């Protein structure tokens, strides 16, 4: 069964949460190098970019508010650039 736009975006919220927690310092990175942390953030940024560009279901054309996802992408990229 195909997922709806809402279902896909709800699942993508995990990536938003992870990026925001890493950026805010509340994600447990004990024992990880900065390279590993940046890799995790980058994978989640990539995931969100793919999701937002998706046309099946048509997330790219959907009019729902996607600002939390685009904000997380911006935050993730800024975090990586700073670290």
């Amino acid at each position: 069964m195909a997922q709806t736009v809402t279902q896909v975006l709800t699942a993508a919220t995990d990536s938003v949460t992870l990026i925001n927690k890493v950026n805010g310092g509340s994600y447990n990175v004990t024992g990880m190098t900065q390279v590993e942390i940046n890799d995790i953030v980058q994978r989640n940024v990539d995931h969100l970019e793919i999701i937002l560009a998706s046309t099946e279901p048509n997330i790219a054309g959907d009019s729902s508010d996607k600002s939390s996802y685009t904000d997380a992408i911006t935050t993730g990229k800024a975090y990586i650039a700073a670290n």
Side-chain angles (χ1 to χ4, degrees), residues 9-33:
L9 289 176
T10 298
T13 301
D14 290 343
S15 288
V16 172
T17 301
L18 182 139
I19 290 167
N20 289 332
K21 282 187 171 187
V22 168
N23 184 60
S26 64
Y27 187 79
N28 184 2
V29 294
T30 304
M32 297 175 70
T33 66

Side-chain angles (χ1 to χ4, degrees), residues 59-74:
I59 294 168
D62 184 75
S63 63
S64 62
D65 180 15
K66 300 178 194 94
S67 61
S68 64
Y69 308 98
T70 57
D71 290 350
I73 291 168
T74 301

Side-chain angles (χ1 to χ4, degrees), residues 24-50:
S26 64
Y27 187 79
N28 184 2
V29 294
T30 304
M32 297 175 70
T33 66
Q34 190 62 55
V35 170
E36 292 169 326
I37 298 165
N38 287 0
D39 185 53
I40 289 171
V41 172
Q42 185 64 59
R43 285 195 312 261
N44 282 274
V45 165
D46 293 345
H47 173 71
L48 290 174
E49 289 178 329
I50 290 166

